[in-house]
Amino acid sequence: MPKIFITNKSGHPQTFEVHGWNNNQNLTVKPHSTSTLSAPDKTSGAIIALHQGHEGEQAEITFNGFGGNDFFDMSNIVGAGGNMTIQQQGEPSTRKGDPLFMQNLRGAWKKASQQTKNDLKGSIFLDKNGNVERMGPVKGHPNLEKFVRSFADGKTYIGEGAWKGSPGVKSDNDQSSAGKGTKNSIITYSDGDATPDNHQAQHAPIQQEQQQQQQQQQHVLIAQEPASAAPSTSHEATEQLSAPKPHDARIGIDLHNSSSKPCTYYFYDNYWNGNGTAGANFDHPLKNQHLAPHTSHFVPLPASFKGRVQRGQLIPATWVEFQCEASNDHFAHGDISLQQGCDGAATIKGSEGTVGGFSKDIITHAPAGAKMKRSDGVVCLASTMGNWLAGPNEVAAAWEMKEVGQRKAYIKGGTGTDDIMSKTRRFEVVFY
């Protein structure tokens, strides 16, 4: 049975969507580590890197396809936020993907004219320093496709290729060339150079595979115990087994359910935190708190917590984002974000009395084009920045700007929203 070896050369945990294997469950690979997936013959699937909840570069594979060969490619059709390559084990000539895609993207952006940058508005996402952080989907954006081809044509799938009667672009079609028989696949992710190390590409990482199997066995033991949220990756299982971090009872959230329905609120600690950036956690909540209508409870948190609390575990959802202790002033800081959608009003209040967010219903009378029905049947306002469900919803963004405003909640971009500070490292959070 073929194996897929996924190596993360970066210094942070990297989460991948997995389709076709691993029971279609996301996989988080720890820094400078390799995880292994089993892939039966004749199976197909995709490994997609996630960046702040957005799909990015992806490896698509069919094992033992036509003529007994593997077929695979690297694609940036749905976006990018890192560098990734794929090849057959021991066959460097089969390597596909641009190992420096993001560096080349940033270089092209710096050289681009102002008109080009204007044309790419909403497709290229910058950090607070103006550096390219992420690229949105190429599909349906001809200006972005032209721009990406200027530096990555022939290295990765960019357009749709030959599909539904369209001949596609030859440089894209060539990405689907056959491998040499059927062999293990080597996928390498990096924020730097994603070229696989020689030993990684030539030899199966047996020791790491054994470690992963041990972690999976530990995960099974944990899953048999009653828990509010069982981990689904070996990375999370390892953290759950380690000694619990001490909690300071003075630090945390005074959580209020001001609605007429019972609700369970989930706290998500970010996977990683950078300079103005963060790796949003969508699948492994740190803890949860159930509240009956019109009740409240204090939820203690570690000083290291940087993440969010939301209703339930689904998106779209209103995010109350906060960190319990900033490294510069050692105070807590927070805000409300509607960038991943809105499932109701929420406010956050600091020790100084300042309040962020809003308390009124902005969903009921919103335009139909701003709404979407969540997988649990709840009608919400769609994401203003886009995610794996759909692209950015400009109708929702315009409505939220009118009803709430960027000062009270993050709607578009990362500036202009009040920073709610708490010197006591304790917030009052109300969900309406």
Side-chain angles (χ1 to χ4, degrees):
M1 179 184 298
K3 303 283 188 183
I4 304 173
F5 299 113
I6 306 172
T7 294
N8 175 15
K9 293 175 67 176
S10 78
H12 59 80
Q14 177 60 44
T15 299
F16 300 89
E17 274 186 21
V18 181
H19 298 276
W21 309 288
N22 201 43
N23 295 317
N24 293 316
Q25 297 296 307
N26 286 6
L27 174 69
T28 299
V29 184
K30 292 188 288 187
H32 309 294
S33 299
T34 299
S35 291
T36 307
L37 299 178
S38 295
D41 275 347
K42 306 293 185 181
T43 58
S44 299
I47 309 295
I48 309 173
L50 293 179
H51 303 284
Q52 302 174 30
H54 299 274
E55 292 179 333
E57 54 282 359
Q58 62 178 309
E60 303 167 316
I61 316 169
T62 295
F63 286 102
N64 196 8
F66 179 75
N69 296 310
D70 296 337
F71 290 82
F72 52 92
D73 62 71
M74 277 300 308
S75 171
N76 288 98
I77 293 176
V78 298
N83 304 319
M84 204 155 80
T85 60
I86 182 172
Q87 69 171 70
Q88 288 182 311
Q89 186 178 355
E91 299 289 350
S93 65
T94 66
R95 187 176 306 148
K96 297 175 182 178
D98 183 351
L100 294 172
F101 183 93
M102 289 301 296
Q103 284 77 3
N104 293 331
L105 169 60
R106 293 178 183 119
W109 177 258
K110 287 183 179 179
K111 297 176 183 178
S113 67
Q114 188 58 52
Q115 182 59 52
T116 296
K117 292 180 178 180
N118 292 341
D119 292 340
L120 297 176
K121 186 177 180 180
S123 293
I124 300 295
F125 300 89
L126 310 179
D127 62 20
K128 65 179 182 180
N129 297 316
N131 300 314
V132 176
E133 186 174 50
R134 183 175 63 82
M135 183 185 83
V138 174
K139 184 177 180 180
H141 295 82
N143 289 329
L144 180 59
E145 179 175 340
K146 179 181 178 182
F147 177 69
V148 175
R149 289 196 186 281
S150 71
F151 64 86
D153 194 39
K155 301 177 183 178
T156 178
Y157 239 109
I158 300 170
E160 294 188 30
W163 182 250
K164 293 185 177 179
S166 171
V169 177
K170 183 179 184 301
S171 55
D172 287 343
N173 297 335
D174 289 346
Q175 297 300 309
S176 296
S177 58
K180 300 179 180 180
T182 184
K183 301 182 179 182
N184 295 335
S185 285
I186 299 290
I187 295 175
T188 306
Y189 173 88
S190 179
D191 295 328
D193 190 338
T195 302
D197 299 331
N198 287 334
H199 70 277
Q200 168 201 340
Q202 302 299 326
H203 305 290
I206 300 298
Q207 184 176 2
Q208 292 183 355
E209 183 178 3
Q210 291 172 342
Q211 291 173 346
Q212 185 194 32
Q213 290 172 348
Q214 292 171 356
Q215 291 169 346
Q216 289 171 341
Q217 291 170 356
Q218 292 168 340
H219 161 65
V220 171
L221 294 174
I222 294 173
Q224 292 171 347
E225 299 176 0
S228 57
S232 60
T233 68
S234 58
H235 162 67
E236 186 71 10
T238 303
E239 293 187 341
Q240 295 274 350
L241 284 169
S242 61
K245 298 176 182 179
H247 287 68
D248 184 337
R250 297 172 299 167
I251 302 174
I253 298 294
D254 289 301
L255 184 65
H256 299 258
N257 178 6
S258 188
S259 76
S260 59
K261 298 179 180 179
C263 186
T264 302
Y265 303 91
Y266 286 80
F267 291 78
Y268 289 85
D269 208 358
N270 292 334
Y271 278 132
W272 57 270
N273 297 279
N275 182 15
T277 64
N281 173 358
F282 287 89
D283 45 9
H284 295 302
L286 176 70
K287 59 169 58 180
N288 64 70
Q289 179 65 51
H290 183 81
L291 291 179
H294 306 292
T295 61
S296 63
H297 185 79
F298 175 68
V299 181
L301 292 167
S304 60
F305 183 90
K306 294 182 180 181
R308 72 182 187 277
V309 58
Q310 66 173 72
R311 299 174 184 87
Q313 301 184 74
L314 302 175
I315 59 168
T318 304
W319 285 9
V320 180
E321 304 174 313
F322 62 95
Q323 58 176 320
C324 287
E325 184 175 316
S327 59
N328 54 356
D329 60 10
H330 300 290
F331 298 150
H333 295 265
D335 60 70
I336 303 296
S337 174
L338 304 180
Q339 293 187 120
Q340 283 296 342
C342 173
D343 63 351
T347 57
I348 181 171
K349 181 180 179 180
S351 62
E352 310 309 293
T354 54
V355 180
F358 58 102
S359 58
K360 68 178 182 179
D361 172 19
I362 65 170
I363 299 175
T364 301
H365 301 293
K371 300 177 183 180
M372 69 175 293
K373 184 175 286 188
R374 206 165 57 189
S375 60
D376 60 354
V378 174
V379 175
C380 309
L381 298 183
S383 170
T384 63
M385 63 186 295
N387 49 45
W388 59 89
L389 297 174
N393 188 305
E394 299 299 337
V395 179
W399 175 256
E400 291 166 0
M401 285 290 191
K402 174 178 176 291
E403 295 297 314
V404 178
Q406 180 82 1
R407 182 176 178 181
K408 286 293 185 181
Y410 280 107
I411 297 170
K412 297 282 281 186
T415 59
T417 302
D418 288 343
D419 171 31
I420 308 303
M421 181 184 71
S422 177
K423 293 182 178 180
T424 63
R425 298 180 295 176
R426 186 164 175 159
F427 287 114
E428 181 181 356
V429 172
V430 183
F431 285 94
Y432 297 87

